[in-house]
Short mmCIF file of all heavy atoms in Angstrom, two decimals:
data_model
loop_
_atom_site.label_atom_id
_atom_site.label_comp_id
_atom_site.label_asym_id
_atom_site.label_seq_id
_atom_site.Cartn_x
_atom_site.Cartn_y
_atom_site.Cartn_z
N GLU B 31 -14.38 39.23 18.20
CA GLU B 31 -15.71 38.86 18.32
C GLU B 31 -15.81 37.66 19.29
O GLU B 31 -15.09 36.66 19.11
CB GLU B 31 -16.30 38.40 17.02
CG GLU B 31 -17.19 39.51 16.32
CD GLU B 31 -17.55 39.05 15.01
OE1 GLU B 31 -18.15 37.96 14.94
OE2 GLU B 31 -17.29 39.73 13.98
N MET B 32 -16.69 37.80 20.23
CA MET B 32 -16.73 36.64 21.25
C MET B 32 -18.08 35.88 21.02
O MET B 32 -19.06 36.44 20.61
CB MET B 32 -16.67 37.22 22.70
CG MET B 32 -15.64 38.28 22.91
SD MET B 32 -13.94 37.61 22.82
CE MET B 32 -13.93 36.47 24.15
N VAL B 33 -17.97 34.66 21.33
CA VAL B 33 -19.16 33.81 21.43
C VAL B 33 -19.16 33.15 22.78
O VAL B 33 -18.11 32.99 23.37
CB VAL B 33 -19.35 32.78 20.31
CG1 VAL B 33 -19.65 33.47 19.01
CG2 VAL B 33 -17.98 32.00 20.25
N SER B 34 -20.37 32.74 23.24
CA SER B 34 -20.44 31.93 24.35
C SER B 34 -21.02 30.49 24.09
O SER B 34 -21.93 30.34 23.33
CB SER B 34 -21.34 32.65 25.45
OG SER B 34 -21.41 31.85 26.48
N ASP B 35 -20.27 29.53 24.54
CA ASP B 35 -20.71 28.13 24.31
C ASP B 35 -21.09 27.57 25.61
O ASP B 35 -20.46 27.89 26.59
CB ASP B 35 -19.54 27.42 23.70
CG ASP B 35 -19.84 26.15 22.96
OD1 ASP B 35 -21.07 26.00 22.83
OD2 ASP B 35 -18.98 25.53 22.48
N THR B 36 -22.07 26.65 25.68
CA THR B 36 -22.33 26.03 26.93
C THR B 36 -21.54 24.67 27.09
O THR B 36 -21.57 23.82 26.22
CB THR B 36 -23.77 25.67 27.10
OG1 THR B 36 -24.40 25.51 25.85
CG2 THR B 36 -24.59 26.64 27.98
N ILE B 37 -20.77 24.64 28.08
CA ILE B 37 -20.02 23.51 28.42
C ILE B 37 -20.41 23.05 29.82
O ILE B 37 -20.54 23.88 30.69
CB ILE B 37 -18.51 23.70 28.40
CG1 ILE B 37 -18.14 24.02 26.91
CG2 ILE B 37 -17.69 22.55 28.91
CD1 ILE B 37 -16.70 24.48 26.72
N GLU B 38 -20.53 21.75 29.96
CA GLU B 38 -20.97 21.29 31.32
C GLU B 38 -19.89 21.69 32.35
O GLU B 38 -18.71 21.51 32.17
CB GLU B 38 -21.05 19.71 31.28
CG GLU B 38 -22.35 19.26 32.11
CD GLU B 38 -22.72 17.89 31.70
OE1 GLU B 38 -23.33 17.87 30.63
OE2 GLU B 38 -22.42 16.95 32.43
N PRO B 39 -20.38 22.20 33.45
CA PRO B 39 -19.38 22.59 34.49
C PRO B 39 -18.71 21.35 35.02
O PRO B 39 -19.24 20.31 35.18
CB PRO B 39 -20.18 23.24 35.69
CG PRO B 39 -21.61 23.31 35.15
CD PRO B 39 -21.70 22.49 33.89
N ASN B 40 -17.38 21.55 35.24
CA ASN B 40 -16.54 20.48 35.64
C ASN B 40 -15.54 20.99 36.74
O ASN B 40 -14.46 21.33 36.39
CB ASN B 40 -15.79 19.81 34.45
CG ASN B 40 -15.15 18.50 34.90
OD1 ASN B 40 -14.99 18.23 36.01
ND2 ASN B 40 -14.53 17.81 33.96
N PRO B 41 -16.02 21.11 37.98
CA PRO B 41 -15.14 21.73 38.97
C PRO B 41 -13.83 21.08 39.14
O PRO B 41 -12.79 21.80 39.39
CB PRO B 41 -16.01 21.67 40.27
CG PRO B 41 -17.19 20.89 40.02
CD PRO B 41 -17.35 20.81 38.50
N LYS B 42 -13.75 19.81 39.05
CA LYS B 42 -12.43 19.04 39.18
C LYS B 42 -11.43 19.53 38.22
O LYS B 42 -10.27 19.71 38.56
CB LYS B 42 -12.76 17.56 39.10
CG LYS B 42 -13.01 16.87 40.38
CD LYS B 42 -12.85 15.32 40.12
CE LYS B 42 -13.48 14.53 41.29
NZ LYS B 42 -13.92 13.17 40.71
N LEU B 43 -11.94 19.74 36.97
CA LEU B 43 -11.00 20.24 35.90
C LEU B 43 -10.47 21.57 36.27
O LEU B 43 -9.17 21.87 36.22
CB LEU B 43 -11.75 20.32 34.64
CG LEU B 43 -10.98 20.85 33.44
CD1 LEU B 43 -10.13 19.76 32.91
CD2 LEU B 43 -11.93 21.27 32.35
N LEU B 44 -11.31 22.43 36.84
CA LEU B 44 -10.90 23.73 37.23
C LEU B 44 -9.85 23.78 38.40
O LEU B 44 -8.95 24.41 38.27
CB LEU B 44 -12.18 24.53 37.71
CG LEU B 44 -12.33 26.00 37.31
CD1 LEU B 44 -11.97 26.18 35.83
CD2 LEU B 44 -13.60 26.53 37.67
N TYR B 45 -10.15 22.91 39.35
CA TYR B 45 -9.27 22.82 40.48
C TYR B 45 -7.81 22.32 39.93
O TYR B 45 -6.81 22.81 40.36
CB TYR B 45 -9.61 21.82 41.47
CG TYR B 45 -10.91 22.03 42.14
CD1 TYR B 45 -11.81 21.10 42.60
CD2 TYR B 45 -11.46 23.41 42.19
CE1 TYR B 45 -13.00 21.37 43.16
CE2 TYR B 45 -12.72 23.67 42.76
CZ TYR B 45 -13.46 22.61 43.21
OH TYR B 45 -14.77 22.91 43.76
N ASN B 46 -7.78 21.44 38.93
CA ASN B 46 -6.63 20.92 38.42
C ASN B 46 -5.88 22.00 37.65
O ASN B 46 -4.60 22.07 37.66
CB ASN B 46 -6.89 19.66 37.57
CG ASN B 46 -5.72 19.07 36.87
OD1 ASN B 46 -4.52 19.34 37.32
ND2 ASN B 46 -5.79 18.40 35.86
N ILE B 47 -6.65 22.80 36.87
CA ILE B 47 -5.94 23.67 35.95
C ILE B 47 -5.59 25.03 36.62
O ILE B 47 -4.59 25.62 36.25
CB ILE B 47 -6.88 23.92 34.68
CG1 ILE B 47 -6.84 22.58 34.00
CG2 ILE B 47 -6.43 25.08 33.84
CD1 ILE B 47 -7.50 22.59 32.71
N LEU B 48 -6.40 25.45 37.48
CA LEU B 48 -6.18 26.76 38.08
C LEU B 48 -4.78 27.19 38.57
O LEU B 48 -4.28 28.23 38.29
CB LEU B 48 -7.20 27.06 39.24
CG LEU B 48 -7.57 28.56 39.47
CD1 LEU B 48 -8.12 29.15 38.20
CD2 LEU B 48 -8.38 28.81 40.64
N PRO B 49 -4.08 26.26 39.27
CA PRO B 49 -2.75 26.53 39.69
C PRO B 49 -1.85 26.87 38.48
O PRO B 49 -0.79 27.58 38.64
CB PRO B 49 -2.23 25.29 40.29
CG PRO B 49 -3.42 24.57 40.75
CD PRO B 49 -4.47 24.86 39.73
N ARG B 50 -2.11 26.37 37.31
CA ARG B 50 -1.29 26.56 36.09
C ARG B 50 -1.62 27.84 35.36
O ARG B 50 -0.90 28.24 34.40
CB ARG B 50 -1.33 25.34 35.17
CG ARG B 50 -0.25 24.38 35.49
CD ARG B 50 -0.43 23.19 34.64
NE ARG B 50 -1.53 22.34 35.01
CZ ARG B 50 -2.18 21.51 34.33
NH1 ARG B 50 -1.86 21.40 33.02
NH2 ARG B 50 -3.10 20.81 34.77
N VAL B 51 -2.85 28.41 35.68
CA VAL B 51 -3.22 29.66 34.92
C VAL B 51 -2.36 30.78 35.38
O VAL B 51 -2.15 30.98 36.64
CB VAL B 51 -4.62 29.86 35.23
CG1 VAL B 51 -5.09 31.28 34.71
CG2 VAL B 51 -5.46 28.80 34.53
N ASN B 52 -1.80 31.48 34.55
CA ASN B 52 -1.04 32.68 34.78
C ASN B 52 -1.99 33.84 35.17
O ASN B 52 -2.61 34.38 34.25
CB ASN B 52 -0.13 33.02 33.68
CG ASN B 52 0.82 34.10 34.07
OD1 ASN B 52 0.50 34.98 34.80
ND2 ASN B 52 1.99 34.05 33.56
N TRP B 53 -2.14 34.14 36.43
CA TRP B 53 -3.18 35.06 36.85
C TRP B 53 -2.99 36.46 36.32
O TRP B 53 -3.93 37.12 35.83
CB TRP B 53 -3.36 35.03 38.42
CG TRP B 53 -4.69 35.64 38.75
CD1 TRP B 53 -4.85 36.93 39.29
CD2 TRP B 53 -6.10 35.00 38.70
NE1 TRP B 53 -6.29 37.00 39.55
CE2 TRP B 53 -6.92 35.93 39.26
CE3 TRP B 53 -6.39 33.73 38.36
CZ2 TRP B 53 -8.30 35.65 39.35
CZ3 TRP B 53 -7.72 33.46 38.45
CH2 TRP B 53 -8.67 34.37 38.97
N THR B 54 -1.78 36.94 36.29
CA THR B 54 -1.47 38.30 35.85
C THR B 54 -1.85 38.34 34.42
O THR B 54 -2.47 39.39 33.92
CB THR B 54 -0.02 38.75 36.05
OG1 THR B 54 0.74 37.54 36.01
CG2 THR B 54 0.25 39.48 37.36
N ALA B 55 -1.47 37.39 33.57
CA ALA B 55 -1.79 37.38 32.11
C ALA B 55 -3.30 37.34 32.04
O ALA B 55 -3.86 37.94 31.17
CB ALA B 55 -1.16 36.15 31.51
N LEU B 56 -3.95 36.59 32.89
CA LEU B 56 -5.41 36.55 32.76
C LEU B 56 -6.10 37.93 33.05
O LEU B 56 -7.07 38.28 32.30
CB LEU B 56 -5.96 35.43 33.75
CG LEU B 56 -7.48 35.13 33.65
CD1 LEU B 56 -7.82 34.49 32.23
CD2 LEU B 56 -7.99 34.20 34.77
N LEU B 57 -5.58 38.59 34.01
CA LEU B 57 -6.07 39.95 34.33
C LEU B 57 -5.96 40.85 33.18
O LEU B 57 -6.84 41.61 32.78
CB LEU B 57 -5.31 40.48 35.55
CG LEU B 57 -5.61 39.91 36.92
CD1 LEU B 57 -4.67 40.50 38.03
CD2 LEU B 57 -7.03 39.96 37.28
N THR B 58 -4.72 40.75 32.47
CA THR B 58 -4.44 41.59 31.32
C THR B 58 -5.46 41.22 30.18
O THR B 58 -6.06 42.16 29.64
CB THR B 58 -3.12 41.27 30.71
OG1 THR B 58 -2.21 41.16 31.79
CG2 THR B 58 -2.69 42.45 29.86
N THR B 59 -5.66 39.90 30.00
CA THR B 59 -6.51 39.49 28.86
C THR B 59 -8.03 39.96 29.17
O THR B 59 -8.74 40.54 28.26
CB THR B 59 -6.55 38.00 28.82
OG1 THR B 59 -5.23 37.59 28.83
CG2 THR B 59 -7.35 37.47 27.60
N VAL B 60 -8.38 39.82 30.50
CA VAL B 60 -9.81 40.27 30.85
C VAL B 60 -10.00 41.71 30.60
O VAL B 60 -10.93 42.20 30.05
CB VAL B 60 -10.01 39.78 32.25
CG1 VAL B 60 -11.21 40.61 32.78
CG2 VAL B 60 -10.30 38.27 32.33
N ALA B 61 -8.98 42.50 31.02
CA ALA B 61 -9.02 43.90 30.83
C ALA B 61 -9.14 44.28 29.37
O ALA B 61 -9.90 45.17 28.89
CB ALA B 61 -7.84 44.64 31.47
N GLU B 62 -8.35 43.59 28.52
CA GLU B 62 -8.32 43.93 27.07
C GLU B 62 -9.57 43.60 26.36
O GLU B 62 -10.03 44.21 25.48
CB GLU B 62 -7.14 43.22 26.40
CG GLU B 62 -5.83 43.96 26.54
CD GLU B 62 -4.63 43.17 26.19
OE1 GLU B 62 -4.75 42.05 25.81
OE2 GLU B 62 -3.51 43.75 26.41
N LEU B 63 -10.26 42.47 26.89
CA LEU B 63 -11.46 42.09 26.22
C LEU B 63 -12.64 42.77 26.77
O LEU B 63 -13.79 42.71 26.33
CB LEU B 63 -11.63 40.48 26.45
CG LEU B 63 -10.78 39.61 25.63
CD1 LEU B 63 -10.97 38.15 26.11
CD2 LEU B 63 -11.03 39.73 24.21
N GLY B 64 -12.43 43.58 27.88
CA GLY B 64 -13.53 44.36 28.41
C GLY B 64 -14.44 43.61 29.26
O GLY B 64 -15.69 43.98 29.30
N PHE B 65 -14.02 42.62 29.98
CA PHE B 65 -14.91 41.85 30.83
C PHE B 65 -14.82 42.51 32.27
O PHE B 65 -13.86 43.25 32.57
CB PHE B 65 -14.46 40.46 30.90
CG PHE B 65 -14.86 39.74 29.65
CD1 PHE B 65 -13.93 38.83 29.12
CD2 PHE B 65 -16.04 39.88 29.05
CE1 PHE B 65 -14.19 38.15 27.87
CE2 PHE B 65 -16.36 39.22 27.85
CZ PHE B 65 -15.44 38.42 27.36
N PRO B 66 -15.76 42.25 33.21
CA PRO B 66 -15.66 42.71 34.46
C PRO B 66 -14.43 42.28 35.17
O PRO B 66 -13.95 41.12 34.93
CB PRO B 66 -16.95 42.22 35.19
CG PRO B 66 -17.47 41.15 34.22
CD PRO B 66 -16.97 41.54 32.95
N GLU B 67 -13.88 43.08 36.05
CA GLU B 67 -12.65 42.78 36.64
C GLU B 67 -12.63 41.63 37.57
O GLU B 67 -13.66 41.31 38.17
CB GLU B 67 -12.14 44.12 37.53
CG GLU B 67 -10.91 44.71 36.84
CD GLU B 67 -10.63 45.98 37.62
OE1 GLU B 67 -10.16 45.89 38.76
OE2 GLU B 67 -10.88 47.06 37.05
N LEU B 68 -11.42 40.95 37.68
CA LEU B 68 -11.34 39.82 38.59
C LEU B 68 -10.52 40.33 39.85
O LEU B 68 -9.87 41.27 39.74
CB LEU B 68 -10.44 38.82 37.84
CG LEU B 68 -11.17 38.00 36.72
CD1 LEU B 68 -10.13 37.19 35.98
CD2 LEU B 68 -12.25 37.06 37.30
N PRO B 69 -10.57 39.51 40.91
CA PRO B 69 -9.83 39.92 42.05
C PRO B 69 -8.30 39.87 41.70
O PRO B 69 -7.96 39.06 40.87
CB PRO B 69 -10.25 38.82 43.01
CG PRO B 69 -10.82 37.70 42.39
CD PRO B 69 -11.51 38.36 41.21
N PRO B 70 -7.48 40.68 42.36
CA PRO B 70 -6.11 40.77 41.92
C PRO B 70 -5.28 39.52 42.28
O PRO B 70 -4.21 39.40 41.64
CB PRO B 70 -5.52 41.92 42.72
CG PRO B 70 -6.55 42.11 43.83
CD PRO B 70 -7.95 41.66 43.40
N ASN B 71 -5.78 38.67 43.14
CA ASN B 71 -5.03 37.49 43.49
C ASN B 71 -5.86 36.21 43.11
O ASN B 71 -7.07 36.24 43.28
CB ASN B 71 -4.63 37.41 44.90
CG ASN B 71 -3.54 38.39 45.18
OD1 ASN B 71 -2.51 38.43 44.43
ND2 ASN B 71 -3.78 39.13 46.24
N PRO B 72 -5.22 35.12 42.61
CA PRO B 72 -6.00 34.01 42.23
C PRO B 72 -6.59 33.27 43.54
O PRO B 72 -6.03 33.37 44.60
CB PRO B 72 -4.95 32.99 41.58
CG PRO B 72 -3.73 33.55 42.08
CD PRO B 72 -3.76 35.01 42.27
N PRO B 73 -7.90 32.87 43.42
CA PRO B 73 -8.46 32.17 44.60
C PRO B 73 -7.74 30.78 44.77
O PRO B 73 -7.27 30.25 43.78
CB PRO B 73 -9.91 31.94 44.18
CG PRO B 73 -9.90 32.00 42.63
CD PRO B 73 -8.71 32.91 42.19
N THR B 74 -7.66 30.39 46.05
CA THR B 74 -7.09 29.04 46.29
C THR B 74 -8.25 28.03 45.99
O THR B 74 -9.41 28.29 45.94
CB THR B 74 -6.61 29.04 47.73
OG1 THR B 74 -7.73 29.26 48.60
CG2 THR B 74 -5.44 29.94 48.02
N ILE B 75 -7.70 26.77 45.99
CA ILE B 75 -8.72 25.77 45.72
C ILE B 75 -9.69 25.57 46.83
O ILE B 75 -10.86 25.40 46.56
CB ILE B 75 -7.95 24.40 45.58
CG1 ILE B 75 -7.16 24.48 44.24
CG2 ILE B 75 -8.90 23.18 45.49
CD1 ILE B 75 -6.50 23.32 43.74
N GLU B 76 -9.31 25.88 48.15
CA GLU B 76 -10.26 25.79 49.25
C GLU B 76 -11.31 26.86 49.08
O GLU B 76 -12.56 26.61 49.25
CB GLU B 76 -9.54 26.03 50.59
CG GLU B 76 -8.70 24.77 51.01
CD GLU B 76 -7.33 24.82 50.33
OE1 GLU B 76 -6.77 25.81 49.97
OE2 GLU B 76 -6.82 23.57 49.96
N GLU B 77 -10.86 28.09 48.70
CA GLU B 77 -11.74 29.21 48.50
C GLU B 77 -12.86 28.85 47.40
O GLU B 77 -14.02 29.08 47.60
CB GLU B 77 -11.06 30.42 48.05
CG GLU B 77 -10.51 31.22 49.24
CD GLU B 77 -9.52 32.32 48.74
OE1 GLU B 77 -9.74 32.87 47.63
OE2 GLU B 77 -8.58 32.60 49.54
N LEU B 78 -12.31 28.22 46.32
CA LEU B 78 -13.22 27.85 45.21
C LEU B 78 -14.22 26.81 45.68
O LEU B 78 -15.42 26.85 45.30
CB LEU B 78 -12.37 27.26 44.07
CG LEU B 78 -12.00 28.28 42.95
CD1 LEU B 78 -11.38 27.42 41.86
CD2 LEU B 78 -13.03 29.12 42.51
N GLN B 79 -13.73 25.79 46.45
CA GLN B 79 -14.58 24.77 46.85
C GLN B 79 -15.81 25.33 47.71
O GLN B 79 -16.84 24.81 47.72
CB GLN B 79 -13.89 23.76 47.61
CG GLN B 79 -13.31 22.73 46.73
CD GLN B 79 -12.10 21.87 47.35
OE1 GLN B 79 -11.63 22.23 48.42
NE2 GLN B 79 -11.80 20.73 46.74
N ALA B 80 -15.46 26.40 48.48
CA ALA B 80 -16.48 26.97 49.32
C ALA B 80 -17.44 27.93 48.55
O ALA B 80 -18.54 27.99 48.85
CB ALA B 80 -15.85 27.70 50.48
N ASP B 81 -16.86 28.45 47.49
CA ASP B 81 -17.57 29.58 46.84
C ASP B 81 -18.06 29.04 45.46
O ASP B 81 -17.27 29.09 44.51
CB ASP B 81 -16.62 30.87 46.70
CG ASP B 81 -17.38 32.03 46.10
OD1 ASP B 81 -18.57 31.89 45.83
OD2 ASP B 81 -16.77 33.17 46.20
N GLU B 82 -19.26 28.65 45.44
CA GLU B 82 -19.83 28.09 44.23
C GLU B 82 -19.93 29.09 43.04
O GLU B 82 -19.76 28.83 41.92
CB GLU B 82 -21.18 27.46 44.51
CG GLU B 82 -21.44 26.24 43.65
CD GLU B 82 -22.53 25.39 44.14
OE1 GLU B 82 -22.34 24.59 45.09
OE2 GLU B 82 -23.65 25.61 43.62
N LYS B 83 -20.30 30.32 43.49
CA LYS B 83 -20.54 31.41 42.55
C LYS B 83 -19.20 31.71 41.79
O LYS B 83 -19.14 31.90 40.53
CB LYS B 83 -20.98 32.61 43.26
CG LYS B 83 -21.53 33.74 42.30
CD LYS B 83 -22.30 34.78 43.01
CE LYS B 83 -22.30 36.10 42.32
NZ LYS B 83 -21.20 37.04 42.77
N MET B 84 -18.06 31.79 42.55
CA MET B 84 -16.71 32.08 41.96
C MET B 84 -16.44 30.90 40.86
O MET B 84 -15.88 31.24 39.82
CB MET B 84 -15.73 32.13 43.11
CG MET B 84 -14.42 32.50 42.64
SD MET B 84 -14.30 34.25 42.37
CE MET B 84 -12.62 34.37 41.68
N THR B 85 -16.61 29.70 41.38
CA THR B 85 -16.35 28.65 40.49
C THR B 85 -17.10 28.64 39.15
O THR B 85 -16.54 28.56 38.08
CB THR B 85 -16.74 27.27 41.15
OG1 THR B 85 -16.36 27.25 42.47
CG2 THR B 85 -16.13 26.11 40.42
#
Side-chain angles (χ1 to χ4, degrees):
Chain B
E31 260 174 52
M32 313 297 292
V33 284
S34 177
D35 202 5
T36 23
I37 293 174
E38 217 160 286
N40 189 351
K42 267 194 195 155
L43 177 78
L44 217 52
Y45 302 152
N46 179 17
I47 289 187
L48 204 61
R50 266 177 286 155
V51 170
N52 187 326
W53 197 259
T54 28
L56 186 65
L57 290 178
T58 323
T59 312
V60 164
E62 278 168 2
L63 290 173
F65 289 135
E67 248 175 70
L68 290 168
N71 288 313
T74 59
I75 291 184
E76 289 78 34
E77 277 168 30
L78 268 190
Q79 274 161 344
D81 191 350
E82 211 164 278
K83 189 166 156 265
M84 184 79 188
T85 317

